[in-house]
Amino acid sequence: MLPDTTTVKARWARVQENLRAADVDAMIVLKPQNTFYLSGYTPVIYSHPALVVLPAEGEPVFVLHALRAHSSRRVSLITDIRPYGRWAKEIGPDHWWQVLADVLAERGLAGGRIGIEGEFLPHNHLTRFAETLPEATFVDAGQALMRARYVKDAAELESLRVAAAVADAGMDAVLAAVAERRSEVEVSAAAMRAMQDTWATRYPDRIAIDFGNLEGGVFNSLWAYSLVGDRVPMNSAPPTDRRPVDGEIQWTVIWTAIDGMHTENERSVAVGRLNAERQAAFESLLAITEEVTPHLRPGLSCADVYEAARAAYRRHGYGDYLPGRVGHGLGLGPHEQPSLGPTDDLVLAPGMVLTIEPNLRIPSFGGLQHSDSVVITETGFEYLTTTRRDLIQV
Amino acid sequence: MLPDTTTVKARWARVQENLRAADVDAMIVLKPQNTFYLSGYTPVIYSHPALVVLPAEGEPVFVLHALRAHSSRRVSLITDIRPYGRWAKEIGPDHWWQVLADVLAERGLAGGRIGIEGEFLPHNHLTRFAETLPEATFVDAGQALMRARYVKDAAELESLRVAAAVADAGMDAVLAAVAERRSEVEVSAAAMRAMQDTWATRYPDRIAIDFGNLEGGVFNSLWAYSLVGDRVPMNSAPPTDRRPVDGEIQWTVIWTAIDGMHTENERSVAVGRLNAERQAAFESLLAITEEVTPHLRPGLSCADVYEAARAAYRRHGYGDYLPGRVGHGLGLGPHEQPSLGPTDDLVLAPGMVLTIEPNLRIPSFGGLQHSDSVVITETGFEYLTTTRRDLIQV
């Protein structure tokens, strides 16, 4: 569900604590996922910058184009809305950076240490900040926000469960379509149609829109693609009219976002009978996954999970096929921190949401990959996606 | 259709001419739309940076994560692929910036004037460039690429026609659903299902995936949303289970991207009989649009079109309701340059693709807006979207 005022205030407090720890006086937030996190409001289209100023103490301010004034006043949980530009009778200063400077001056922070999202903020934006706020010092505070997003709150978890239910409905349609030997495009379209139906009939009160980039984008958040046989190692690629032939493995990826929260459900399906090499690889991958998942629990680090995977790949004779990571964070981003890879020392904690997806890419026939979305619990983890995860054969 | 080698070479040449005119020795390109423009290849997921180095003379180089080595070698029209990171047996240097430095050193450009996309490139990326290339000077060359994209080539125009046909099929479903007094969510889902069907059955050889942001995203490129009555001034907002009542106006927005190229088809529909105020507004908006469109022709500037709109709004008594612009560029971005607004001096030329969308937002009842995608021709313009654009009443 969308956050309420209590929930966003708790989010502000978490980020503010991180800002104070980093000796930052205020943060300027531009990344769509992050402004949504702090406000519960999305302008959907981000080609006009939408910026949140979050001081280390006190209430945040939302700086938005005049075109968004009406909708943000109706929806945003940040209630101090400051429009720039003009749209019909709504008229503010010409430029967002003027409003930003006014807000920081009002708070007495024009000469402060100002946090930015270094991994996201376009270089020219920072130049404009610096010109408008010549007394300020700018420091990368992106992790102050990202770390606050690691552990999901109750509103986010509820949205994730709905997103997973929609993804599962899509995967049901996939399994039926693959059983009929449909093409990559047909399987993908069948999944997306099923998810549209599920959203419209079961969850019409939910947001099914994703975040785009700063040039705009198209944001249908119910997405699937399918790849067959030797096309699986393309990993992420447009589906084609290629159909499976018996003995091949078809892999379908479903990503859904509900209320901005992403889940992933991916399944490899044996089309008819597999030869011995493929059968052995599929069975080994399931065994590897079974050996890795007990390491998904509070107190172990992401790197611990990866090392468990490394050992399991070796044990089963696939040491040369270890991927760069075996899972990743999920939330407002479909690939957010942390990473279940060799260098991520983050220790797992209850409420973190991740994919678990050991995989094999074997040049002789393609590849194999199931991916599930899971939430870390007090004692281990719980699956959010529920499609059968054995050696699926149709 | 996707570009062929001749087409991308012509694109390189256009950008390179702009780079030389700006005295730039090489450009580092990161924006997903732009790397696709230069290569015809999308890794789909951009959380691992994909960078093109385009020297002012000579062939470009594509720097990609090892995970994308297989697919890029099969698809990219930039054939000099340099992987970084590791994925199973594919192993490159650890970091993309090391590969970048190697490539520029090879070309003798490590101390050159290097162009960047200032409006897009994250600040930390530029810091890494500067650390790795201490002798180089960095300048904003984003417009060298953006200007090359203004006039669409034959491959792009063909994709735009397919995107428009898919959007039109979606709008047919919208008109039928509104006639049945369906909710915002149901109208949206009906449009998206119809577009999935049209894509899967008529255009299965086409890419229906959009570009996300650097944190990843979900990229179903067939999208619609619908807003009823007093919700229209939200402009872009998630649809809800709100149904129209007779006398209201329902507005539906369809954006589609095929092969990365975007079209827009938006229609306002009178649900039953309108009262006098709404009827007059609808008729006036159609008259305003009719007075503006003759100005869509080569030789006039974007600002000229806007001034024609300003005069028409005043003539019809809606001078206070003039929007900030009456259309915008379309292409690899759904809201790309130019803007049909008061300050854009770009002169229209054959092959440019734009929306034309004068609109009204009237607090007493909501708003009105048709949007069509058009291409500028030698003598005027041609509509790409073809849905009826009169006073539609159901």
Side-chain angles (χ1 to χ4, degrees):
Chain A
M1 66 188 76
L2 290 181
D4 59 13
T5 299
T6 309
T7 300
V8 294
K9 286 195 168 173
R11 294 179 186 176
W12 303 345
R14 276 203 297 283
V15 180
Q16 286 173 319
E17 190 183 330
N18 293 342
L19 292 177
R20 289 191 299 266
D23 199 22
V24 169
D25 298 313
M27 183 165 177
I28 302 175
V29 183
L30 177 75
K31 194 194 247 192
Q33 288 86 341
N34 288 343
T35 54
F36 179 76
Y37 183 73
L38 296 171
S39 69
Y41 168 74
T42 172
V44 181
I45 304 166
Y46 287 88
S47 42
H48 295 294
L51 303 112
V52 170
V53 180
L54 180 68
E57 308 269 4
E59 300 264 317
V61 176
F62 215 160
V63 179
L64 289 152
H65 191 274
L67 174 62
R68 314 288 173 219
H70 175 82
S71 62
S72 60
R73 286 193 195 110
R74 283 172 74 152
V75 175
S76 171
L77 300 170
I78 297 177
T79 53
D80 188 349
I81 304 278
R82 310 279 182 104
Y84 66 88
R86 63 166 59 209
W87 200 264
K89 292 182 170 178
E90 188 80 53
I91 297 167
D94 281 352
H95 301 295
W96 53 263
W97 54 88
Q98 299 167 306
V99 183
L100 214 55
D102 290 347
V103 169
L104 286 166
E106 239 172 60
R107 303 288 177 106
L109 297 173
R113 269 171 65 87
I114 307 295
I116 60 160
E117 296 153 307
E119 298 290 340
F120 184 80
L121 186 76
H123 173 68
N124 287 4
H125 283 48
L126 179 59
T127 303
R128 284 183 204 106
F129 293 176
E131 284 168 3
T132 321
L133 296 159
E135 305 299 318
T137 310
F138 297 94
V139 295
D140 185 2
Q143 290 299 313
L145 225 155
M146 198 64 234
R147 284 203 316 275
R149 282 171 48 188
Y150 279 149
V151 172
K152 273 57 182 175
D153 52 40
E156 290 180 304
L157 285 171
E158 202 273 351
S159 297
L160 281 160
R161 288 180 197 282
V162 174
V166 173
D168 288 353
M171 194 54 83
D172 287 347
V174 167
L175 299 185
V178 176
E180 292 172 6
R181 310 301 193 254
R182 313 299 290 180
S183 74
E184 292 176 351
V185 161
E186 288 165 342
V187 171
S188 308
M192 291 191 273
R193 283 194 306 259
M195 293 194 286
Q196 288 297 337
D197 279 331
T198 304
W199 168 61
T201 56
R202 290 178 54 196
Y203 306 109
D205 55 336
R206 298 317 180 99
I207 297 179
I209 291 179
D210 203 7
F211 304 102
N213 73 27
L214 300 183
E215 200 176 40
V218 173
F219 311 116
N220 181 339
S221 71
L222 310 178
W223 187 48
Y225 66 90
S226 193
L227 300 171
V228 175
D230 65 347
R231 288 181 33 80
V232 171
M234 302 281 279
N235 288 314
S236 53
T240 67
D241 54 8
R242 168 93 149 74
R243 285 171 192 281
V245 295
D246 276 27
E248 285 193 318
I249 292 163
Q250 182 151 357
W251 175 55
T252 306
V253 172
I254 289 181
W255 292 352
T256 62
I258 289 290
D259 306 334
M261 298 300 288
H262 293 75
T263 56
E264 191 172 301
N265 179 340
E266 304 178 4
R267 289 294 182 270
S268 289
V269 176
V271 180
R273 180 187 288 276
L274 299 180
N275 68 20
E277 180 197 20
R278 297 173 192 186
Q279 181 80 17
F282 209 151
E283 288 171 2
S284 297
L285 182 64
L286 295 175
I288 288 168
T289 304
E290 205 157 299
E291 291 167 29
V292 172
T293 51
H295 298 266
L296 287 170
R297 62 170 198 261
L300 292 185
S301 74
C302 294
D304 291 336
V305 179
Y306 188 76
E307 292 311 318
R310 189 196 301 273
Y313 273 78
R314 284 190 182 145
R315 228 166 6 246
H316 291 273
Y318 291 92
D320 284 348
Y321 296 93
L322 183 70
R325 63 181 182 187
V326 294
H328 54 77
L330 288 170
L332 293 167
H335 288 103
E336 67 179 43
Q337 293 178 19
S339 198
L340 294 177
T343 61
D344 197 321
D345 291 331
L346 183 81
V347 174
L348 298 176
M352 291 185 180
V353 175
L354 301 147
T355 66
I356 180 72
E357 47 179 327
N359 66 71
L360 291 173
R361 297 285 178 268
I362 312 277
S364 54
F365 68 86
L368 283 157
Q369 183 164 359
H370 287 348
S371 176
D372 278 293
S373 305
V374 306
V375 55
I376 304 296
T377 61
E378 295 295 333
T379 55
F381 72 97
E382 180 196 336
Y383 284 109
L384 294 171
T385 43
T386 64
T387 305
R388 55 182 280 206
R389 55 185 73 86
D390 58 337
L391 198 163
I392 308 171
Q393 191 170 32
V394 296
Chain B
M1 66 188 76
L2 290 180
D4 59 13
T5 299
T6 309
T7 300
V8 293
K9 286 194 168 173
R11 295 179 186 176
W12 302 345
R14 275 202 298 282
V15 180
Q16 286 173 320
E17 191 183 330
N18 294 341
L19 292 178
R20 289 191 299 267
D23 198 21
V24 169
D25 298 313
M27 182 164 177
I28 302 175
V29 183
L30 178 75
K31 193 193 248 192
Q33 288 86 340
N34 288 342
T35 54
F36 180 76
Y37 184 72
L38 297 171
S39 69
Y41 169 73
T42 171
V44 181
I45 304 165
Y46 287 88
S47 43
H48 296 293
L51 302 112
V52 169
V53 180
L54 180 67
E57 308 269 1
E59 301 263 319
V61 176
F62 214 160
V63 179
L64 289 152
H65 192 275
L67 174 62
R68 314 288 172 216
H70 175 82
S71 62
S72 61
R73 286 194 195 109
R74 283 172 74 150
V75 175
S76 171
L77 299 169
I78 297 177
T79 53
D80 188 348
I81 305 279
R82 310 278 183 106
Y84 65 88
R86 61 167 58 209
W87 201 264
K89 292 183 170 176
E90 188 80 52
I91 297 167
D94 281 352
H95 301 295
W96 52 263
W97 53 89
Q98 299 168 306
V99 182
L100 215 56
D102 290 347
V103 169
L104 286 165
E106 240 173 59
R107 303 287 177 107
L109 298 173
R113 270 171 63 86
I114 308 296
I116 59 160
E117 296 153 306
E119 297 292 338
F120 184 79
L121 186 75
H123 173 68
N124 287 5
H125 283 49
L126 180 59
T127 304
R128 284 182 206 107
F129 292 176
E131 285 168 4
T132 322
L133 297 159
E135 306 299 318
T137 310
F138 297 94
V139 295
D140 186 1
Q143 290 299 314
L145 226 155
M146 198 64 234
R147 285 204 315 276
R149 281 171 49 187
Y150 279 149
V151 172
K152 273 56 182 175
D153 52 41
E156 290 180 304
L157 284 171
E158 201 273 350
S159 297
L160 281 160
R161 288 181 197 283
V162 174
V166 173
D168 289 352
M171 195 53 84
D172 288 346
V174 167
L175 300 186
V178 177
E180 292 173 6
R181 311 300 194 253
R182 313 298 289 180
S183 74
E184 291 176 351
V185 160
E186 288 165 343
V187 171
S188 308
M192 291 191 272
R193 283 194 306 260
M195 293 194 286
Q196 288 296 337
D197 279 332
T198 304
W199 168 61
T201 56
R202 288 177 55 196
Y203 306 108
D205 54 337
R206 299 317 181 98
I207 297 179
I209 291 178
D210 203 7
F211 304 103
N213 72 26
L214 300 183
E215 201 177 40
V218 173
F219 311 116
N220 182 339
S221 72
L222 310 177
W223 188 46
Y225 66 89
S226 192
L227 300 171
V228 175
D230 66 347
R231 288 180 35 79
V232 171
M234 302 280 280
N235 288 314
S236 52
T240 67
D241 55 7
R242 169 93 150 73
R243 285 170 193 279
V245 294
D246 276 27
E248 284 192 318
I249 292 162
Q250 182 150 358
W251 174 54
T252 306
V253 172
I254 290 181
W255 291 353
T256 61
I258 288 289
D259 305 336
M261 299 299 289
H262 293 76
T263 57
E264 190 172 300
N265 180 341
E266 304 178 4
R267 289 293 182 270
S268 289
V269 176
V271 180
R273 179 186 287 276
L274 299 179
N275 69 18
E277 180 196 20
R278 297 172 194 187
Q279 181 80 18
F282 209 152
E283 288 171 1
S284 297
L285 182 64
L286 296 175
I288 288 168
T289 305
E290 205 157 299
E291 291 167 29
V292 173
T293 51
H295 298 266
L296 286 170
R297 61 171 199 262
L300 292 185
S301 74
C302 293
D304 291 336
V305 179
Y306 188 77
E307 291 312 320
R310 187 197 301 275
Y313 273 78
R314 282 190 182 145
R315 228 168 3 246
H316 290 274
Y318 291 91
D320 284 348
Y321 296 93
L322 183 69
R325 64 182 181 187
V326 294
H328 54 78
L330 288 170
L332 293 168
H335 289 102
E336 66 178 45
Q337 293 177 18
S339 199
L340 294 177
T343 61
D344 197 323
D345 292 332
L346 182 81
V347 174
L348 298 176
M352 290 185 181
V353 175
L354 300 147
T355 66
I356 179 73
E357 47 180 327
N359 65 71
L360 290 173
R361 295 286 178 269
I362 312 277
S364 55
F365 68 86
L368 283 157
Q369 184 164 356
H370 288 348
S371 177
D372 278 294
S373 305
V374 306
V375 54
I376 303 297
T377 61
E378 295 295 333
T379 54
F381 73 97
E382 178 195 337
Y383 284 110
L384 294 172
T385 42
T386 64
T387 304
R388 54 182 280 206
R389 54 185 75 85
D390 58 337
L391 198 163
I392 308 171
Q393 191 170 31
V394 295

